[in-house]
Amino acid sequence: MQSPAVPFGDLRRQSAALRAELDAAVSRVIASGWYILGREVASFEEEFAAYCGAAHCVGVASGAEALYLALAALDVGPGAEVITVANACMYQVVAILQTGARPVLVDVDPATHTMDPQLLAAAISPRTRAIMPVHLFGRLADMPAIMAIADHHGIPVVEDAAQAHGALLDDAGGRPRRAGAWGTLACFSFYPSKNLGALGDGGALTTSDPDLAARLRRLRMYGWGSKYHTAESGGRNSRLDELQAALLRVKLGYLDSGNAARRERAAWYAELLADTPLILPADYPGHVYHLYVVESARRDVLRAHLQSVGVGCDVHYPEPVHLQSAYADLGYAPGSLSHTEALAGRILSLPMFPELSRAEVEIVSSAVIEGLSR
Ligand SMILES: *Cc1c(COP(=O)(O)O)cnc(C)c1O
């Protein structure tokens, strides 16, 4: 008997549940007659900064823009090196190369899929101008260790928090701290499928440094210090718009419940898949499960089976940055980032979103068990 299909994601469910509030937000903006950098963006920035535990938030056009603007605000440019990872899609390297700096790639801890602090320490050179860890799949990178290394060398840290809205980790003093409240700057994406998603493109940076916040406000708007007066060159048009900000204010109210629902679904998978040879994601209380990523030596067989029975799945990400032909001139040979490369062949993302039902998680899990027995 064929079970019903389970989608990898389904944004219609979330939009339907919040429809009246989203409609009201859109109507409010339309009626206001003010569509760029107005009250909605200013309010969202305040609310999201407070949520993250940062002093400032600056809304921008996307997560990719946030990464670029963070480096630009730190004066990263030609001759500089920025240390990041190679398993988190190409976003970081794209931003680093746009500044003219050189990406320096380090391997990840195979248990957490995030930057290995020891390898970070070994990669620091006199030219290192920023460190860009990625909080991948909803898990914070080892920020206490990374911040200790960065602070020791006086190097700014730019968190890529695009997959970690609301994720928590204890700081060195044992106090839980959210993604966005660790580094010199942190970058968020509000791409629709993220834990906090707009109904279009959007992004933001958080920081506790008022000068950096002010600089980011200039850089996102042509470099203007005031209307028609350019305070600095190197600016661009990278604004979060009023409509998306108004929608994000609605969705921010549901971020914690959505993250709790993701954690509940992760616990269901852990229960239903406990007796399989899969490596399941290492849990900890602050994980927000942007993606639910399992590991299997027989990943491709499993993926083909899930696809054949209508269960959505995906690989995040199949081709590490340094092995992409477009980045061959970064100079990393195959084998140079061994954990990153091995993981790329083993990882599989199962359906994970707050509206996924228990019955669907059971269908997915049964299909996984069936696929592993092939
Ligand atoms: C989605 C994502 C980005 C890019 O965000 P966009 O808003 O799509 O530009 C950057 N980094 C990570 C880790 C992401 O998941």
Side-chain angles (χ1 to χ4, degrees):
M1 198 196 77
Q2 180 88 8
S3 301
V6 180
F8 184 68
D10 183 359
L11 294 172
R12 275 171 310 189
R13 296 187 201 177
Q14 191 175 91
S15 295
L18 305 180
R19 185 62 193 261
E21 283 184 77
L22 296 174
D23 281 348
V26 170
S27 292
R28 185 173 74 230
V29 173
I30 293 174
S32 77
W34 192 278
Y35 306 123
I36 298 289
L37 296 189
R39 302 226 298 255
E40 300 290 343
V41 170
S43 298
F44 173 72
E45 288 175 341
E46 254 175 54
E47 291 157 10
F48 192 61
Y51 177 85
C52 293
H56 309 277
C57 170
V58 179
V60 297
S62 69
E65 282 287 305
L67 292 172
Y68 168 77
L69 290 167
L71 297 175
L74 293 169
D75 288 318
V76 170
E81 293 176 355
V82 179
I83 302 174
T84 191
V85 290
N87 68 333
C89 211
M90 279 51 68
Y91 312 109
Q92 307 79 27
V93 164
V94 168
I96 295 163
L97 290 174
Q98 276 175 34
T99 67
R102 189 170 86 84
V104 172
L105 303 172
V106 296
D107 211 348
V108 295
D109 176 334
T112 64
H113 303 228
T114 60
M115 181 180 276
D116 182 326
Q118 288 190 341
L119 297 177
L120 162 66
I124 288 174
S125 88
R127 287 177 300 280
T128 308
R129 289 289 172 274
I131 298 165
M132 193 178 266
V134 183
H135 307 321
L136 201 64
F137 308 150
R139 158 185 288 279
L140 276 166
D142 186 352
M143 293 308 287
I146 291 169
M147 292 310 299
I149 295 163
D151 289 346
H152 176 74
H153 291 275
I155 299 170
V157 171
V158 177
E159 300 169 60
D160 184 337
Q163 299 191 1
H165 316 73
L168 286 158
L169 188 65
D170 285 353
D171 66 17
R175 286 171 304 265
R177 206 192 281 196
R178 283 213 163 105
W182 291 85
T184 316
L185 288 161
C187 302
F188 290 88
S189 164
F190 305 121
Y191 184 82
S193 62
K194 308 287 185 186
N195 292 41
L196 178 59
L199 275 65
D201 274 314
L205 300 102
T206 54
T207 181
S208 292
D209 181 330
D211 296 331
L212 280 176
R215 185 154 192 214
L216 288 165
R217 289 181 201 289
R218 296 192 294 270
L219 290 173
R220 74 172 170 188
M221 179 102 160
Y222 320 120
W224 289 357
S226 56
K227 197 172 179 186
Y228 307 140
H229 173 73
T230 303
E232 61 179 306
S233 62
R236 41 220 261 157
N237 175 353
S238 183
R239 298 174 298 223
L240 179 66
D241 65 60
E242 287 284 285
L243 265 177
Q244 297 305 337
L247 294 164
L248 285 166
R249 293 180 68 196
V250 172
K251 296 254 200 129
L252 182 57
Y254 297 92
L255 177 55
D256 282 342
S257 59
N259 283 344
R262 288 172 184 271
R263 291 191 49 74
E264 185 179 37
R265 278 136 194 82
W268 293 342
Y269 277 129
E271 162 206 334
L272 295 163
L273 299 174
D275 295 331
T276 67
L278 293 178
I279 297 179
L280 303 180
D283 190 41
Y284 78 100
H287 200 312
V288 295
Y289 291 100
H290 173 60
L291 294 167
Y292 191 80
V293 178
V294 300
E295 289 168 50
S296 168
R298 306 182 62 236
R299 191 271 311 279
D300 292 332
V301 175
L302 182 56
R303 174 163 55 168
H305 176 72
L306 294 182
Q307 284 166 344
S308 75
V309 297
V311 167
C313 60
D314 206 343
V315 174
H316 299 91
Y317 297 90
E319 207 184 346
V321 178
H322 65 296
L323 302 184
Q324 305 246 348
S325 54
Y327 296 124
D329 57 3
L330 294 182
Y332 292 85
S336 54
L337 302 172
S338 59
H339 293 308
T340 295
E341 292 168 37
L343 286 170
R346 297 172 50 88
I347 49 177
L348 187 66
S349 307
L350 302 179
M352 169 54 77
F353 49 96
E355 300 79 17
L356 196 66
S357 71
R358 170 83 193 187
E360 288 175 314
V361 171
E362 288 174 0
I363 292 167
V364 175
S365 301
S366 302
V368 166
I369 291 165
E370 163 80 17
L372 288 170
S373 70
R374 306 227 139 197

